[in-house]
Amino acid sequence: MGKVIKKILIVCIWLLLWQLVAIVIHNKILLAGPVETLGSLQRMAGEAEFWNSLKSSYLHIMLGALIGIVLATAFSALGFKYEIVKDILSPVVTAIKAVPVASFIILVLIWIGSENVSTVVVALVVFPVMYIGINNAFASADKKLLEMAYVYRMPGFNTFRYIYLPVLIPGIKSALSVAIPMGFKSGVAAEVIGQPLLSMGNGLYKAKIYLDTGDVFAWTIVIVLVSFVTEKLFLFLVSLADKGGKAK
């Protein structure tokens, strides 16, 4: 309880400082305070366009994240079993990590248009993070335990369950805690550039066009909250899967 109160107090202090700076600047175009931002958020919440944009963006971003996670898991498993797969994918993963997100966005806009730009970009951003995280988890498995499993001819399923799974779960959680926020940031950035209708990125762009800093902050808060809740949901589901596996 004390930790919760402490966090609330810290948030209140920063909100107060934000409001004081906004009062000193006294220019809503340059800096809207928390009061103006809350007003913008309340107004937006009463509009159907806001909820449609939120739903559309969320579905596209989540689809991209799921594609990236599934592909990363599948290729990590294949690379673990067949070294040649890992060798072939290594330069591809390195290239995806190195290429700026803006370049991906522009290329995707040229190839497929703006409608699904966030889905493809999010998949490209999430994939290397998850792939590397899962590969590192496989590599961190206790070598002595693996030798023991080999000597005693432990079945493959039991080897995975009792030796690999305990290191995979933390690795997956760590990768997800990075991949999900990065996915949302890159997805919204793709929408800001690509301008698909009814999207969070489009809402941010409109706020910029009208110099409405309150709306910019309001959209930003929504994006951060949605990203945070989604990340915690994924981590919770992975924890449930881990507990379910141990219970059997």
Side-chain angles (χ1 to χ4, degrees):
M1 192 64 184
K3 290 182 179 179
V4 174
I5 294 173
K6 181 181 177 180
K7 289 181 179 179
I8 292 173
L9 287 174
I10 291 172
V11 171
C12 289
I13 289 170
W14 281 109
L15 287 174
L16 179 60
L17 287 173
W18 177 12
Q19 184 63 49
L20 289 174
V21 172
I23 291 172
V24 171
I25 293 177
H26 195 59
N27 188 328
K28 293 181 181 180
I29 294 177
L30 289 178
L31 181 66
V35 175
E36 290 82 7
T37 301
L38 184 61
S40 296
L41 189 58
Q42 186 177 12
R43 172 181 52 77
M44 287 162 51
E47 300 172 354
E49 183 178 349
F50 167 78
W51 294 106
N52 290 332
S53 298
L54 179 59
K55 180 180 71 174
S56 177
S57 282
Y58 188 79
L59 290 176
H60 279 92
I61 291 172
M62 285 307 302
L63 178 59
L66 290 173
I67 291 172
I69 292 169
V70 170
L71 289 177
T73 304
F75 282 118
S76 295
L78 284 172
F80 172 72
K81 188 171 180 62
Y82 306 105
E83 190 72 23
I84 185 64
V85 175
K86 187 183 293 186
D87 293 338
I88 292 172
L89 283 176
S90 179
V92 177
V93 174
T94 302
I96 293 174
K97 284 196 307 175
V99 174
V101 176
S103 298
F104 280 134
I105 295 171
I106 293 169
L107 287 172
V108 173
L109 285 172
I110 294 171
W111 291 337
I112 66 171
S114 64
E115 187 62 30
N116 296 304
V117 62
S118 58
T119 299
V120 178
V121 169
V122 171
L124 289 170
V125 169
V126 168
F127 172 77
V129 177
M130 295 301 303
Y131 178 81
I132 293 170
I134 296 173
N135 274 345
N136 290 340
F138 271 123
S140 66
D142 193 318
K143 300 297 185 294
K144 293 182 179 179
L145 288 177
L146 290 172
E147 289 176 4
M148 182 189 71
Y150 176 77
V151 169
Y152 288 98
R153 297 181 180 179
M154 181 182 288
F157 176 78
N158 287 341
T159 301
F160 175 80
R161 178 180 177 185
Y162 295 111
I163 299 177
Y164 285 111
L165 193 60
V167 295
L168 276 173
I169 293 298
I172 290 172
K173 284 184 175 181
S174 178
L176 282 173
S177 65
V178 176
I180 297 301
M182 284 182 62
F184 271 91
K185 287 194 289 186
S186 60
V188 173
E191 291 174 346
V192 171
I193 296 175
Q195 285 299 295
L197 297 176
L198 293 178
S199 64
M200 293 188 288
N202 183 254
L204 271 173
Y205 186 78
K206 286 180 179 178
K208 173 255 183 185
I209 291 295
Y210 294 115
L211 300 177
D212 194 335
T213 313
D215 276 20
V216 172
F217 281 129
W219 274 113
T220 303
I221 289 171
V222 170
I223 294 164
V224 170
L225 285 176
V226 171
S227 173
F228 177 79
V229 171
T230 303
E231 176 194 342
K232 296 304 179 185
L233 177 60
F234 269 87
L235 296 178
F236 175 71
L237 291 175
V238 173
S239 298
L240 281 183
D242 184 30
K243 291 177 182 178
K246 291 178 180 178
K248 293 179 181 178

